[in-house]
Amino acid sequence: MKYYLMVLIVAVSMLISLSAMAENKVQVIFDGTAVSFETDPIIENGTTLVPFRTIFERMGFEVSWDDEERTAIGSKDDLVIKLPMDKEVAYVNDESKNLEVSAKIVNNTAVVPIRFVSEVSGYIVTWEDKAHTINIQSPEHIQPDRSNSLGIEAYNVRNFGVKGDGKSNDTKMIQIALNVVSKAKGTLYFPSGTYLIDAAQKLTVNSDITVIGEGMSTKIQANHEAEFGNSLFMLKGDNIRISRLRLDGNYSVLNIVIVQSGSTNIQIDNSSLLNASQSDNPSRDDYREIVTGISVYGNTDQISIEHNDIQNIKAVHLNQGSLVARGIYLTENKAGWHEKAAKHVSIANNYIHDIGPADDGDGIYYEDPSLERNAAEDTYSKIQNNRFENCAKRAIKINAQGIEVTGNEIINNYLNNNYYFGNNKGELAPDMYAGISIYADNNKVTDNVLQGKGSFYAAIEVTAERTVNNVLIKNNTVKMGANSNLGGKTAIRIGRVNDFTVSSNVIENGEIGIWMWQSASNGVISGNKISMPSGGGINLDSYLPNSEKENVKVSDNSIQAKQYDVYHQ
């Protein structure tokens, strides 16, 4: 009897043991289908190891074995993964990657860490603890849903294995998500979180995608510990929208966003773009290149930049003798490419501030290099209802044709405390050199307010080496601070210009209300209200020889000035 009882106990124990083994056995599901292995997966120190040949072939790799180096190798497209046995390192395209658990030989079979292999191959890996199951999913199998706070149908970036924890490098998986959603012509949603980016690998956003977040709680941030990068986002293609994101260059990128040449129907809205600067490595090109919040290259069309906060764009190293930074910069990609200037651009309702230094820090610079080739065309663009503050040299510089600058507020907070940091380091700069500078034909400056405790060397200026044609300056208000030490303070400064109107502007303080300091023709200065308690009203004189005024009518201006109303020698 005792014998039979012992046999029964042993049998039951074996059944329990086998049952426990079955329960603890790891199952691998690949795109919804269970994977069979010749050797069961094992778990070592929390890492699951599986036979390398089976998993690599399932992922579409060609597999090989280097007997001399005892290394498993998988190759697919431009990706090569090498896993030496018994070494806590792997090589991805010859770049070493540390492993928590090494690949090894078990039962004459090479086994490899499945999560590492899957993730470097671009797959999404999840672990179901209760079921002891690893799910591996191709990004293309991710589907959109409405389980987001915005109530829109969108792909959740977290479903692509993106962490957003402020610690993990999310660059690779975000790029995979961007590619998948672009191909699907969908929306990629970023929940609140901090998404660290290796800016040297920049994120490329291709056509037909909306990238949207939760506002300032969705932070996409360059990793300051990684290599310096050219940009955080590169927009390349058509029909792209970036919305409700905090894009933080963390002073580790030269540009926050670049809109690549030839792109059309691009929208950047309701986002914060901040903290761009130059590399500290003198051997790199980006040690001295122009720093920008947003760069828009040539041959682009239908660009909308609206309701954004663009701030802390700082140059620290000399570029051709100056320190050059732009909040928004519209230009050509590279000198000599002969691109056409961006057309149908709307820059509206943005807050652009802390762009510097005074050497050459502009809020917006709209440039058309084809002016030098006499090949410029009107851009049919508008800069309106933006607010500028602490833009150290000027708020808006226009060196392109066919732009309306209207309804903007430019606040000059500098007062005898704006300094150069380049060749003239330590010297006092103007409070602001200019509010709005116009250097090209067919432009309008209307209904803007320029004010603050500081003054401008020229609040609104129209001047260039070439003659500028067809300019309207109307209904603007310029109120300069009364306590600035800046000499030569002029509200509206007119240089070499033909066919112009300066009318219905309100001007207070400074040394000269309106000054025509170069040759001008076919113009009207009328209906302006000028109050200059210590200066002059309208000055038609020039210190330059042969600066003639032809067919310029000055009439119906209301002038209260200490020195003169209208001066013409």
Side-chain angles (χ1 to χ4, degrees), residues 278-530:
Q278 294 158 317
S279 168
D280 289 329
N281 184 347
S283 66
R284 294 175 58 109
D285 289 341
D286 46 30
Y287 176 82
R288 57 185 55 83
E289 290 184 349
I290 298 172
V291 186
T292 77
I294 301 174
S295 281
V296 180
Y297 292 149
N299 295 340
T300 48
D301 200 356
Q302 300 292 339
I303 310 296
S304 173
I305 303 171
E306 300 188 0
H307 298 282
N308 301 290
D309 183 339
I310 301 172
Q311 61 173 299
N312 296 335
I313 311 299
K314 306 288 187 180
V316 292
H317 305 301
L318 289 173
N319 178 308
Q320 297 181 351
S322 190
L323 298 170
V324 188
R326 314 284 187 232
I328 300 174
Y329 188 28
L330 301 103
T331 185
E332 64 182 359
N333 191 345
K334 292 183 179 179
W337 282 34
H338 291 181
E339 295 177 343
K340 293 183 178 179
K343 288 189 174 181
H344 303 103
V345 177
S346 174
I347 303 174
N349 299 297
N350 301 285
Y351 180 30
I352 302 173
H353 56 108
D354 296 287
I355 315 296
D359 304 69
D360 203 353
D362 294 344
I364 297 173
Y365 184 10
Y366 202 138
E367 177 183 43
D368 184 359
S370 64
L371 283 167
E372 302 296 333
R373 305 187 298 273
N374 295 317
E377 300 175 357
D378 284 355
T379 64
Y380 308 102
S381 296
K382 185 175 283 190
I383 299 172
Q384 62 178 335
N385 300 334
N386 301 284
R387 185 173 184 229
F388 299 85
E389 201 163 1
N390 298 331
C391 295
K393 185 173 184 179
R394 61 165 72 79
I396 303 170
K397 181 178 179 180
I398 304 297
N399 199 21
Q401 293 185 182
I403 301 167
E404 184 175 356
V405 180
T406 184
N408 300 283
E409 182 183 14
I410 300 170
I411 301 171
N412 186 353
N413 286 326
Y414 298 103
L415 180 61
N416 309 320
N417 62 352
N418 193 14
Y419 291 90
Y420 294 114
F421 284 82
N423 285 338
N424 300 317
K425 185 175 182 179
E427 292 184 15
L428 189 64
D431 295 333
M432 285 180 68
Y433 171 77
I436 302 170
S437 297
I438 303 296
Y439 295 162
D441 299 349
N442 306 333
N443 290 306
K444 298 178 181 179
V445 181
T446 63
D447 300 295
N448 302 283
V449 176
L450 299 84
Q451 61 185 346
K453 61 183 180 181
S455 64
F456 302 87
Y457 179 70
I460 301 173
E461 63 163 350
V462 182
T463 184
E465 295 181 2
R466 69 181 71 85
T467 298
V468 172
N469 298 283
N470 188 23
V471 175
L472 173 65
I473 303 174
K474 185 176 181 179
N475 289 334
N476 301 284
T477 297
V478 179
K479 295 183 178 181
M480 287 200 256
N483 298 317
S484 172
N485 294 332
L486 175 64
K489 296 171 285 191
T490 303
I492 301 176
R493 190 170 186 258
I494 307 296
R496 190 176 289 113
V497 62
N498 173 63
D499 187 14
F500 67 96
T501 298
V502 179
S503 68
S504 305
N505 301 285
V506 175
I507 298 169
E508 294 182 12
N509 296 328
E511 293 187 14
I512 306 174
I514 300 172
W515 183 22
M516 299 186 60
W517 70 286
Q518 288 180 300
S519 296
S521 58
N522 302 313
V524 174
I525 302 175
S526 68
N528 300 286
K529 184 178 180 181
I530 303 172

Side-chain angles (χ1 to χ4, degrees), residues 69-90:
E69 299 291 336
R70 299 183 70 246
T71 296
I73 304 171
S75 304
K76 181 172 70 172
D77 301 328
D78 57 354
L79 178 63
V80 178
I81 304 172
K82 298 179 181 179
L83 294 124
M85 299 298 105
D86 302 315
K87 295 182 180 179
E88 292 183 352
V89 67

Side-chain angles (χ1 to χ4, degrees), residues 237-312:
D238 308 323
N239 309 317
I240 300 170
R241 182 187 178 196
I242 304 296
S243 182
R244 294 171 56 84
L245 299 173
R246 178 182 171 91
L247 302 177
D248 186 354
N250 203 17
Y251 300 110
S252 299
V253 296
L254 189 70
N255 313 277
I256 306 298
V257 173
I258 293 176
V259 179
Q260 189 55 268
S261 304
S263 299
T264 63
N265 192 22
I266 305 298
Q267 183 175 342
I268 303 170
D269 67 85
N270 294 289
S271 295
S272 179
L273 302 92
L274 67 160
N275 302 335
S277 191
Q278 294 158 317
S279 168
D280 289 329
N281 184 347
S283 66
R284 294 175 58 109
D285 289 341
D286 46 30
Y287 176 82
R288 57 185 55 83
E289 290 184 349
I290 298 172
V291 186
T292 77
I294 301 174
S295 281
V296 180
Y297 292 149
N299 295 340
T300 48
D301 200 356
Q302 300 292 339
I303 310 296
S304 173
I305 303 171
E306 300 188 0
H307 298 282
N308 301 290
D309 183 339
I310 301 172
Q311 61 173 299
N312 296 335

